[in-house]
Amino acid sequence: MNDTLSLLMNHRSIRKYSARPVMDEDLRAIISAAQMASTSSNVQAYSVIAITDAAQKQRLSGLAGNQAYIVECPVFLVWCADLYRLKKGADAHLADKQAYADSTENFIVATVDAALAAQNAAIAAESLGMGIVYIGGVRNHIAEFSEALELPELVYPVFGMCLGYPDQEPGLRPRLPVEAVLHQGTYNCNGIETEVAKYDQVSSAYLSERTGGKNSTPWSELMARRLAEPVRLHMQDFLKQKGFMKR
């Protein structure tokens, strides 16, 4: 186990932050590290919006589920898939050629680019003693959230990220067994139920300890509840209105 693996294996979501500020030079270093993540064909199809103003964080928190740590963290980062910059940069060279910035493939490219860059940023932040938590709630009211950030066409907020110095030491959440995730040569459907059952025991024990015995719901049951809930069904219409996935 080297230092890099140790850092990765000790990741945890941080939802309580100290008052210690994030220095501008550290934020720039984190974003610079994010920029070195892999990117499809070097399109770099993402942008990051850093929010430090208390009133703006309060407003965005209200649109993202009223999660207190959005307000309390020193810096709230919004990671956006961004094909607008790509299209603007290329327009002068396209002449009469048809552009496909609105394709589903380019939507996937931009979304993956944003996710890869954000994870680089998370690791960079943790290497500096900071902590993060991802915020999918930015998609709860995504049209209003996008309007608040003045996002143009072909830009959408993929997720938010709270950033700051931890004021808590949460336990490590166990993950699925490697055997449930790693396949050799082809996808192996055999044994999935067995591996999930093993993880159910581990995750149930973890949840029971974390809640002082108040909750021990196994992972598979929690996932069944999630799949049965119609979450953010507005996303498809919103993305198409923003110019994504038209073909």
Side-chain angles (χ1 to χ4, degrees):
M1 184 74 72
N2 58 38
D3 290 345
T4 302
L5 287 172
S6 180
L7 180 66
L8 290 166
M9 297 296 286
N10 279 283
H11 167 74
R12 62 208 68 194
S13 293
I14 299 299
R15 294 178 173 85
K16 188 176 181 182
Y17 300 89
S18 73
R20 182 179 173 182
V22 174
M23 297 290 100
D24 286 345
E25 57 267 31
D26 288 334
L27 178 59
R28 291 184 63 87
I30 289 167
I31 299 304
S32 293
Q35 289 185 266
M36 295 310 295
S38 296
T39 168
S40 179
S41 301
N42 201 33
V43 297
Q44 304 174 72
Y46 60 89
S47 288
V48 192
I49 301 175
I51 294 121
T52 57
D53 179 74
Q56 190 179 14
K57 285 191 292 180
Q58 185 72 56
R59 181 185 179 191
L60 295 177
S61 174
L63 294 170
N66 291 306
Q67 298 176 77
Y69 23 96
I70 295 176
V71 179
E72 295 166 359
C73 69
V75 181
F76 183 54
L77 300 176
V78 181
W79 294 85
C80 301
D82 183 357
L83 293 171
Y84 176 82
R85 180 179 60 240
L86 189 70
K87 185 175 182 299
K88 285 294 183 182
D91 273 348
H93 306 282
L94 287 169
D96 296 329
K97 293 180 182 178
Q98 186 174 16
Y100 293 91
D102 58 1
S103 72
T104 298
E105 169 62 12
N106 279 322
F107 164 77
I108 294 171
V109 164
T111 302
V112 171
D113 265 16
L116 293 175
Q119 189 58 19
N120 254 32
I123 297 164
E126 289 173 354
S127 78
L128 294 172
M130 300 182 207
I132 66 100
V133 63
Y134 285 100
I135 306 294
V138 303
R139 302 188 300 276
N140 286 358
H141 301 283
I142 193 165
E144 295 90 339
F145 199 95
S146 298
E147 184 178 354
L149 295 178
E150 301 180 10
L151 301 185
E153 64 174 353
L154 294 173
V155 180
Y156 88 96
V158 184
F159 43 70
M161 177 189 284
C162 295
L163 174 68
Y165 290 91
D167 192 27
Q168 61 175 176
E169 190 69 27
L172 289 173
R173 184 188 293 270
R175 299 302 202 227
L176 283 159
V178 172
E179 292 75 15
V181 175
L182 178 62
H183 302 259
Q184 298 289 350
T186 61
Y187 193 100
N188 182 13
C189 296
N190 298 321
I192 291 294
E193 292 87 351
T194 299
E195 297 302 332
V196 168
K198 290 179 185 177
Y199 184 57
D200 274 346
Q201 293 182 337
V202 173
S203 62
S204 178
Y206 163 82
L207 194 56
S208 179
E209 180 179 358
R210 180 176 174 179
T211 63
K214 295 178 181 178
N215 189 354
S216 60
T217 308
W219 178 80
S220 60
E221 184 177 339
L222 291 172
M223 294 305 102
R225 294 177 188 174
R226 178 174 175 79
L227 288 177
E229 184 179 357
V231 178
R232 299 174 189 140
L233 297 184
H234 56 265
M235 283 298 301
Q236 185 181 67
D237 287 342
F238 169 80
L239 290 169
K240 288 183 176 179
Q241 288 168 10
K242 272 296 206 179
F244 293 101
M245 297 189 305
K246 290 189 174 180
R247 47 189 147 178

